[in-house]
Amino acid sequence: MSSTTLAPGEQERARTASGRRPGLTDRAKAERRLGWMLAGPAFAVMLLVTAYPILQAVYESLFDFRLTDPDNRSFTGLTNYWVILTDWIWWRSLLVTLLITVVTVAVELVLGFGLALVMHRALTTLRPIIRTAILIPYAIITVVSAFAWQYAFALDTGFVNPWLNLGAFNWFGSFSPSIVVICLSEIWKTTPFISLLLLAGLAQVSEDLQEAAKVDGATWWERLRKVTIPNMKAAIMVALLFRTLDAFRVFDNIFIMTNGANGTESVSFLAYRQTISRLEIGLGSAVSVLLFLCVVLISALFIKGFKVDLSQARGEK
Amino acid sequence: MDRQLSTRAKVGWALGGLAILVYALFPVAWIVSLSLKAPSDLSNQQFLPTRFSLENYREIFTGNASELFLSALRNSVGICLIATFISVVLAMFAAYAIARLEFPGKRLILSTALAVAIFPVISIVTPLFNLWRQIGLYDTWPGLIIPYLSLTLPISIWTLSAFFREIPWEMEQAAQVDGATNWQAFRKVIVPLAAPGVFTTAIISFFIAWNDFVYGISLTSTERARPVPAALAFFTGSSQFELPTGAISAAAVIVTIPVVVLILLFQRRIVAGLTNGAVKG
């Protein structure tokens, strides 16, 4: 919490805390009750729409259960997990997801930083125009972006092959070029988000520090590496965490562009295919639970390993 | 800029700005151009149409694809507006409590919002798919509005809490000292201060709901509730020999228009809302 905006309740608390040490006053009790009355519904809805489904998924993942054959539902313990974890399809989709995540996040971080630097330095007259333009990829529907990129590279409608003199090269005919186009669409759409977060971080780096480094004869590159980046580390880590988890859920682009063909299936797509297409509720639930565990693992790695300060992300500092 | 920039540096940054414009607008220009191509032009492998035609727009508004597209558009608008409204109202109460009141569990609520925001959507879809079938919510508006709250509510709580912290709440008391009633103080002082934040939050959460695809294709099966992004994936050409490319591009342009209009009107606020909620120094 910022110390400059103490709510009236907090000021009073600060006063009583410095004086005698009372139990909870009636007023503080009323405030607690009111707080939960106001925030409770939102909290309950959040739990209801996430905690409940994931628990249900954990439960259903323990059964051999097909919607097409509901009478033969039987408890099989961890068999579904064993089936998945010993199947190459799971590991392949996990590798594909990791590949897309690493490539897109790495490119987006560099590109996003470049965009942020330009926006930071752009002339004030130009800034609103750039800001407007950059919000368009951010807010456009992912499916629309997927179609735009797919049609640009497709054999029949695309202008990319003639422009690059590639003849009849089929971008969606094999694994690597398909992944390239999927990554391009992902990068185009989500870089603006990263760059806006980085721009906010850049604004926090003090100009005085920059000037001091300049006076000391530091080059532009040295200032960037030694002054700018260390001072906005928190913003970079928060942007990285969000984008990594977001990229790990990649689904829309793959569905539209390849529909999982040529081994381009991601973990989310695998879960979708098992449940919605094949109606294998048990297996699909197990994939969903595994995906959820992956996301938990990545968050834990970031928070413990890289010491991302999430109070920063929650806007309380 | 408070510092003197050399002409060369100015030109350099301006060129950088231009590059960003091209980067952001090129794929949009492409899909617009594609949507304006006549059917015979669609596969000419050129960026621009040789002849401008509104044929594709006619196809989605009055032609064969209209039934699919117009119902999807109605579903999308209705479902997204309702989901946005519910989550902004719930988030308003929660954010007010978080910004102004002292109660245990504040951190828990904010951490939960964070956890829900990074939750993999597909893990929610699997169990809902089965449950919705059993209780009759499959392929209905409420069947999408409820899961959409998992997308829109966390970001609304965050963004609004960040906005509400910036409001100088003391002004309410000041107005009361000056003789305003409780209600007057609230309506004349607090509402105008809070409204921009609430409005911005609504825009951001509308974008997120509007973008959904996973819930849309998993929890609907017919025109009753299927939203536009999901419907696009099911478009077919007017005959089996004709590509749906034209109709899809035209529909893609139509659903992008509201997004662009909101951005043009409120770009400064949207940027503030996005960054306030996520990074704050």
Side-chain angles (χ1 to χ4, degrees):
Chain A
M1 272 241 120
S2 147
S3 56
T4 51
T5 53
L6 275 182
E10 284 171 277
Q11 282 165 357
E12 191 180 63
R13 185 155 330 277
R15 270 198 303 277
T16 43
S18 60
R20 69 213 153 78
R21 145 112 206 101
L24 278 176
T25 60
D26 282 348
R27 193 170 157 186
K29 269 190 213 148
E31 197 174 322
R32 282 182 163 205
R33 219 172 17 245
L34 182 64
W36 270 106
M37 265 167 59
L38 291 172
F43 185 67
V45 169
M46 283 195 295
L47 284 188
L48 210 67
V49 292
T50 49
Y52 166 71
I54 195 71
L55 290 176
Q56 179 77 16
V58 170
Y59 173 75
E60 276 172 352
S61 71
L62 302 176
F63 289 85
D64 179 15
F65 179 31
R66 292 198 62 168
L67 262 191
T68 44
D69 190 12
D71 299 333
N72 273 333
R73 176 178 147 136
S74 58
F75 182 82
T76 53
L78 296 174
T79 313
N80 283 329
Y81 292 95
W82 177 251
V83 169
I84 292 163
L85 291 175
T86 52
D87 195 327
W88 164 236
I89 291 178
W90 157 260
W91 295 105
R92 191 187 61 190
S93 68
L94 186 63
L95 285 176
V96 168
T97 311
L98 285 172
L99 175 72
I100 294 176
T101 305
V102 170
V103 170
T104 55
V105 172
V107 173
E108 283 171 23
L109 193 63
V110 175
L111 191 62
F113 198 75
L115 295 190
L117 278 178
V118 173
M119 283 194 282
H120 191 57
R121 285 279 172 256
L123 303 170
T124 16
T125 43
L126 215 58
R127 210 175 290 162
I129 305 172
I130 298 178
R131 202 164 41 195
T132 308
I134 212 173
L135 278 175
I136 290 177
Y138 159 77
I140 212 166
I141 297 178
T142 311
V143 171
V144 169
S145 159
F147 274 120
W149 287 89
Q150 187 198 16
Y151 290 149
F153 283 84
L155 266 179
D156 48 357
T157 52
F159 61 88
V160 171
N161 277 351
W163 281 21
L164 297 179
N165 258 330
L166 284 174
F169 179 71
N170 185 359
W171 286 87
F172 300 103
S174 55
F175 176 77
S176 308
S178 308
I179 291 289
V180 168
V181 185
I182 289 169
C183 286
L184 279 175
S185 174
E186 279 277 311
I187 291 167
W188 176 70
K189 163 139 174 76
T190 47
T191 303
F193 178 67
I194 281 209
S195 76
L196 288 174
L197 291 189
L198 294 179
L199 180 63
L202 267 180
Q204 289 167 28
V205 180
S206 92
E207 284 289 327
D208 294 349
L209 269 178
Q210 297 275 17
E211 287 301 323
K214 214 178 199 173
V215 171
D216 288 346
T219 63
W220 181 82
W221 178 244
E222 280 171 340
R223 271 181 286 142
L224 186 68
R225 266 187 44 218
K226 302 261 167 68
V227 180
T228 313
I229 293 180
N231 273 299
M232 52 183 291
K233 202 171 151 243
I236 294 176
M237 293 322 287
V238 168
L240 262 185
L241 172 64
F242 277 105
R243 259 309 293 156
T244 304
L245 292 170
D246 194 35
F248 201 78
R249 298 180 281 196
V250 59
F251 178 84
D252 304 12
N253 275 304
I254 295 175
F255 188 99
I256 297 296
M257 293 201 201
T258 65
N259 206 4
N262 300 316
T264 52
E265 193 170 67
S266 69
V267 176
S268 284
F269 196 89
L270 178 66
Y272 170 83
R273 197 163 56 89
Q274 292 299 330
T275 318
I276 316 289
S277 312
R278 300 187 57 212
L279 302 176
E280 290 269 12
I281 300 291
L283 273 178
S285 300
V287 176
S288 296
V289 172
L290 287 171
L291 174 64
F292 172 66
L293 291 178
C294 288
V295 166
V296 171
L297 190 71
I298 295 174
S299 321
L301 272 178
F302 264 94
I303 293 166
K304 294 273 181 258
F306 298 117
K307 308 234 177 341
V308 179
D309 180 11
L310 283 176
S311 68
Q312 176 113 16
R314 289 193 303 245
E316 29 171 291
K317 194 179 157 178
Chain B
M1 289 271 100
D2 49 353
R3 291 167 305 127
Q4 289 302 99
L5 282 174
S6 67
T7 320
R8 240 184 78 202
K10 263 188 198 164
V11 171
W13 291 120
L15 280 179
L18 197 68
I20 296 184
L21 288 186
V22 172
Y23 162 86
L25 300 179
F26 187 71
V28 182
W30 158 242
I31 199 90
V32 171
S33 154
L34 194 60
S35 75
L36 291 170
K37 286 182 176 184
S40 57
D41 249 6
L42 280 174
S43 301
N44 69 358
Q45 296 196 310
Q46 281 166 16
F47 187 79
L48 291 172
T50 47
R51 178 168 70 79
F52 286 95
S53 141
L54 290 176
E55 187 54 39
N56 298 318
Y57 289 91
R58 218 166 290 139
E59 168 86 9
I60 58 165
F61 280 113
T62 56
N64 284 324
S66 67
E67 207 175 313
L68 199 61
F69 178 68
L70 291 177
S71 59
L73 196 59
R74 195 168 50 237
N75 292 335
S76 260
V77 171
I79 292 170
C80 293
L81 285 180
I82 296 173
T84 302
F85 179 77
I86 296 176
S87 62
V88 170
V89 170
L90 286 175
M92 221 156 56
F93 292 126
Y96 177 87
I98 287 165
R100 280 207 82 188
L101 303 175
E102 200 48 53
F103 62 99
K106 221 189 238 192
R107 273 174 175 276
L108 177 70
I109 293 169
L110 286 165
S111 312
T112 308
L114 189 73
V116 172
I118 60 179
F119 208 83
V121 171
I122 208 87
S123 301
I124 305 180
V125 151
T126 313
L128 282 192
F129 175 70
N130 198 11
L131 180 68
W132 271 195
R133 280 171 173 272
Q134 284 163 12
I135 62 176
L137 279 178
Y138 184 74
D139 204 22
T140 62
W141 277 27
L144 281 186
I145 292 170
I146 296 169
Y148 275 19
L149 293 179
S150 74
L151 302 172
T152 53
L153 193 51
I155 193 132
S156 303
I157 293 179
W158 257 358
T159 322
L160 265 180
S161 308
F163 272 118
F164 281 1
R165 284 209 188 92
E166 314 267 294
I167 292 182
W169 295 99
E170 319 81 68
M171 281 178 67
E172 194 179 22
Q173 271 105 342
Q176 281 164 351
V177 171
D178 287 346
T181 63
N182 269 341
W183 173 243
Q184 277 174 330
F186 179 74
R187 202 170 55 97
K188 296 265 168 70
V189 179
I190 296 304
V191 170
L193 285 171
V198 173
F199 194 61
T200 308
T201 306
I203 293 176
I204 293 173
S205 76
F206 179 80
F207 282 165
I208 292 173
W210 192 242
N211 184 41
D212 162 75
F213 180 62
V214 177
Y215 289 132
I217 50 164
S218 308
L219 302 178
T220 66
S221 59
T222 65
E223 273 115 72
R224 264 176 75 199
R226 187 177 284 151
V228 174
L232 285 181
F234 291 101
F235 263 27
T236 47
S238 41
S239 75
Q240 78 179 97
F241 304 105
E242 205 167 309
L243 287 169
T245 312
I248 290 178
S249 322
V253 172
I254 296 293
V255 293
T256 306
I257 290 173
V259 169
V260 172
V261 169
L262 285 173
I263 291 174
L264 284 177
L265 293 176
F266 306 110
Q267 40 98 2
R268 184 189 297 267
R269 291 226 176 108
I270 297 170
V271 170
L274 281 176
T275 47
N276 263 355
V279 190
K280 195 84 199 310

